[in-house]
Each structure stands twice: as C-alpha cells, then as structure tokens.
Amino acid sequence: MVTDERDRWTLEDITALFDGLFMSRYQTRLVRGDDEPLYRPASQAMPYHQVIFARGFYASALHEISHWCIAGAKRRELEDYGYWYLPDGRNAEQQQAFEQAEIAPQALESLFTRACGRVFHVSVDNLGGDVEVDREAFAAKVLARAQRYQREGLPLRANAFFEALTAFYQRNEPLRDAIAQGLDILEQIPERSSS
C-alpha cells in the first residue's frame, strides 16, 4: 500500500505489477535498461521476453508497456516488435510516420499514467529534427484515441494492467490484490490473435 508521496511511484512496484500479471501467462518481464528502450523476445540465452525501459524512468516503463499491450503474438516474437525506429532528427515525412505509429501507444500510456495518479505528457521525440512539430495537434489525436479506448474498451492486456494500476494507485489496495484483479480480467476473455 502506498503511504508516502515520495515513494508513490517506485520501479519496484511497477515491475511487480507487470511481472505479476504477465510473467506466468506471457513469459514476459519488465526490465530496467540503459539509454534506449527495447523489446527483446525470449531466446536460448534468455528464457523470457523482456520489455526494457530506459534509464529507470517510470514514464518510460509505462510507455514501453503500452507498446507491448498493443503488439500481437507475431509481433511479440520480433525484436522491437519488428517496427522501424528512426532516432531524433527526423524529417517531416519521417516525423509524420512516427507520430501516426505513436498515437495508440501514447493513448494507452496516458490512461496508464492517469491510473497511477501522474500527469501525462505526449512525446513527439524529435528535438534535433529540422521540422516544425505541432505538439498540440498530436496531443489532440492522442487524447481522441484515449477517449475511444475508454468508450470501446482497452485491449485485453492493457485492460488488465489498467485495472491493476487503478486498484493499487487509486484504491490503495495491496500489490497482491491489485495483481489478482488484473489476472481476473486476463482469465475471463481469451486474447484475440493479431499481428
């Protein structure tokens, strides 16, 4: 149970919630990484999949979890889900493609962030680019997608994680109880297979 505002958002808690929900059923763990986030599928050397978030940043963990919650079974067998990623410094066309690919994950991230009682900030992630980025227009698209998720329902894994976050951070339930509530959601509905 969270009792001190300083300790409200610990990496140990977010890791325990994620691993408690997804390690057994999906053989996937949340892992603190270095400079760059990465999704790494299981291999002979590593018996479980890894959602690796950057530099111990809580917001990075939520963002990477959002990507994982959207990726279908085939994508989860590929490093970084088989998606392209161009680093900071994208041109206008590349930035538009980046933003289009980021709407749904950032919409989920916004819902996860609010469930934790934190403030969400969109990321256009192109500080060194030579193109003018319309942060407000992108934020509006992310908000609209989050509202659509709220109306139509979240993907199964996202819904389970959202419920666990809400139980732990909003209702101050113990970790084990928050995890149990998320697991109940996972058990109720079989996951649809997607790419």
Side-chain angles (χ1 to χ4, degrees):
M1 187 179 306
V2 179
T3 57
D4 186 339
E5 190 65 29
R6 290 178 306 193
D7 299 325
R8 184 159 171 79
W9 301 294
T10 69
L11 297 179
E12 292 79 17
D13 289 340
I14 197 76
T15 300
L17 286 166
F18 184 89
D19 291 0
L21 284 172
F22 303 120
M23 182 57 190
S24 177
R25 185 171 183 169
Y26 296 97
Q27 293 74 52
T28 305
R29 299 189 75 179
L30 183 64
V31 178
R32 180 181 178 161
D34 293 321
D35 289 340
E36 293 296 326
L38 177 71
Y39 172 76
R40 186 175 290 141
S43 66
Q44 288 183 335
M46 182 60 61
Y48 54 85
H49 310 292
Q50 299 174 73
V51 175
I52 303 169
F53 63 99
R55 299 185 197 142
F57 293 148
Y58 196 93
S60 177
L62 292 178
H63 182 78
E64 296 311 313
I65 291 167
S66 299
H67 277 286
W68 182 81
C69 286
I70 291 172
K74 291 179 185 176
R75 289 265 185 208
R76 293 192 312 267
E77 295 299 321
L78 304 171
E79 184 165 293
D80 254 358
Y81 315 107
Y83 290 123
W84 63 271
Y85 177 77
L86 293 172
D88 201 17
R90 292 181 289 275
N91 65 30
E93 183 180 321
Q94 294 165 336
Q95 182 64 21
Q96 184 178 19
F98 169 83
E99 290 179 13
Q100 189 61 38
E102 281 289 313
I103 292 170
Q106 289 197 37
L108 281 182
E109 179 188 356
S110 74
L111 296 173
F112 294 162
T113 301
R114 279 189 271 146
C116 294
R118 293 171 59 106
V119 177
F120 173 74
H121 303 281
V122 296
S123 173
V124 293
D125 195 26
N126 198 24
L127 301 174
D130 60 356
V131 62
E132 185 77 22
V133 175
D134 189 344
R135 178 180 293 275
E136 289 178 16
F138 180 63
K141 291 176 185 175
V142 169
L143 176 61
R145 186 64 178 101
Q147 290 169 337
R148 183 173 149 206
Y149 275 133
Q150 289 178 306
R151 280 192 317 274
E152 298 174 5
L154 280 67
L156 178 65
R157 287 171 284 132
N159 192 31
F161 190 63
F162 180 81
E163 179 55 36
L165 292 173
T166 301
F168 185 70
Y169 289 105
Q170 300 296 321
R171 297 191 299 265
N172 293 318
E173 296 182 27
L175 274 170
R176 71 177 179 282
D177 293 349
I179 291 167
Q181 290 176 43
L183 289 172
D184 284 346
I185 290 171
L186 291 176
E187 297 301 320
Q188 290 173 11
I189 305 168
E191 185 169 24
R192 290 176 289 167
S193 179
S194 59
S195 53

